Amino acid sequence: MDDESSLFNFVVRDGNGVKGIVDSGISKIPPIDLSKLDGPEHDEVANQIVRAAETLGFFQVVNHGVPIQLLDTLKQTAHNFFGLPAERKAVYRKEVSPSPLVKYGTSFVPEKEKALEWKDYISMAYTNENEALQQWPGCCSSIFEDVA
């Protein structure tokens, strides 16, 4: 699967799906070093991002400057939210969310898709800490402890 069309054919047309990629033995994903983005290798890094996005559809970024502790807190916060009972998450469905800052769903446009996407998401916009603390789900406020 050396190019975009062969990967697309393998996953979509041949019916292997993303599971087929995993089953094929892929053992690593492309890591892209963002520390080089501000230097003379900027164009090469940008091209690496484009190639990985167009061919595999995903990649790992390294040397991005985001502290590991914050990333761990974000993962735990996501687990906390997605572990809530359905009725507590449903309050934030994008169609009925009481907050313009918080949207929860399983797809970006489910009414137009022929098959449901196998993902859930929560989008929480940040304007300032006070507004976020008032409008984000309570289980998500621990993020601010690691940001300060």
Side-chain angles (χ1 to χ4, degrees), residues 101 124-136 144:
L101 302 181
M124 299 185 303
Y126 180 86
T127 52
N128 62 62
E129 188 171 334
N130 288 334
E131 192 169 23
L133 285 169
Q134 290 174 9
Q135 298 195 32
W136 286 9
F144 297 106

Side-chain angles (χ1 to χ4, degrees), residues 41-59:
E41 297 178 59
H42 175 273
D43 290 345
E44 175 55 31
V45 173
N47 287 332
Q48 289 173 359
I49 293 169
V50 169
R51 279 194 310 274
E54 290 178 345
T55 56
L56 281 176
F58 58 90
F59 51 90

Side-chain angles (χ1 to χ4, degrees), residues 1-147:
M1 292 180 274
D2 295 331
D3 62 24
E4 180 181 354
S5 64
S6 62
L7 180 64
F8 179 85
N9 289 338
F10 178 81
V11 172
V12 178
R13 292 200 176 118
D14 299 343
N16 291 293
V18 174
K19 183 177 184 316
I21 296 174
V22 174
D23 290 346
S24 73
I26 189 170
S27 60
K28 62 180 183 172
I29 59 174
I32 298 174
D33 186 349
L34 293 187
S35 69
K36 298 177 180 179
L37 207 50
D38 289 334
E41 297 178 59
H42 175 273
D43 290 345
E44 175 55 31
V45 173
N47 287 332
Q48 289 173 359
I49 293 169
V50 169
R51 279 194 310 274
E54 290 178 345
T55 56
L56 281 176
F58 58 90
F59 51 90
Q60 177 182 15
V61 294
V62 296
N63 299 322
H64 43 65
V66 180
I68 296 298
Q69 182 178 354
L70 177 57
L71 293 174
D72 289 342
T73 300
L74 290 170
K75 283 194 288 189
Q76 186 57 53
T77 299
H79 284 287
N80 293 346
F81 178 81
F82 290 112
L84 292 172
E87 62 273 6
R88 294 219 13 231
K89 292 184 289 195
V91 169
Y92 294 100
R93 281 184 22 249
K94 65 181 178 180
E95 302 85 8
V96 298
S97 179
S99 170
L101 302 181
V102 182
K103 304 292 182 221
Y104 163 67
T106 60
S107 177
F108 292 110
V109 191
E111 51 283 339
K112 293 187 179 181
E113 295 171 359
K114 295 180 182 168
L116 292 177
E117 293 185 25
W118 284 78
K119 69 167 171 42
D120 292 335
Y121 75 90
I122 183 164
S123 170
M124 299 185 303
Y126 180 86
T127 52
N128 62 62
E129 188 171 334
N130 288 334
E131 192 169 23
L133 285 169
Q134 290 174 9
Q135 298 195 32
W136 286 9
C139 65
C140 298
S141 62
S142 64
I143 291 172
F144 297 106
E145 296 168 10
D146 284 339
V147 173

